[in-house]
Amino acid sequence: QVTLVESGGGLVQAGGSLRLSCAASGRTFSTFTMGWFRQAPGKEREFVATIRSSGANTYYADSVKGRFTIYRDNAKNTVSLQMNSLKPEDTAVYLCAASRSVVSSRSAIDYAYWGQGTQVTVSS
């Protein structure tokens, strides 16, 4: 069991940056594959980025590649998403998720634990 709490969302102008953080409870955080997803109003939940338990492997959606960076600190039970060069189309609720799978997945169905989400709004 793991509980996830996101923070760091807000309102930013296009071209700006934000850093999202996700704090996890539990002593087994380092064994989970972690992911970030986002959901805009009226749209399906969308994969953003994922990172393996060791932090050695990361994968990104094409829409954020080169602009977003996912990283984790297993000693502090945190996973973060650095978002640069933000665009209005990045506006969404961003959710942190944890998966017991050792294989990185872009599918939300593979993630058993979810945070409540944090709102990111990018103005043009």
Side-chain angles (χ1 to χ4, degrees):
Q1 184 74 20
V2 62
T3 301
L4 305 172
V5 179
E6 302 95 335
S7 62
L11 173 64
V12 65
Q13 289 188 333
S17 298
L18 280 175
R19 184 176 65 191
L20 306 183
S21 294
C22 174
S25 66
R27 293 176 290 178
T28 59
F29 173 77
S30 63
T31 67
F32 285 89
T33 291
M34 299 300 296
W36 284 96
F37 289 76
R38 65 188 182 187
Q39 190 162 17
K43 294 188 176 181
E44 292 187 355
R45 192 164 293 185
E46 175 188 23
F47 167 77
V48 175
T50 184
I51 185 167
R52 296 279 292 274
S53 58
S54 68
N57 301 93
T58 58
Y59 302 93
Y60 299 90
D62 288 343
S63 58
V64 306
K65 199 173 295 182
R67 299 188 297 123
F68 291 10
T69 302
I70 186 172
Y71 57 98
R72 66 191 295 163
D73 186 335
N74 286 341
K76 296 182 178 179
N77 281 15
T78 60
V79 60
S80 300
L81 185 70
Q82 177 66 42
M83 306 186 296
N84 298 329
S85 302
L86 283 161
K87 305 175 181 180
E89 51 263 44
D90 293 319
T91 295
V93 173
Y94 282 72
L95 303 109
C96 174
S99 170
R100 292 193 176 276
S101 174
V102 297
V103 178
S104 298
S105 174
R106 299 169 183 251
S107 176
I109 197 171
D110 292 325
Y111 292 78
Y113 305 101
W114 292 83
Q116 294 295 314
T118 185
Q119 177 70 46
V120 171
T121 303
V122 184
S123 63
S124 58

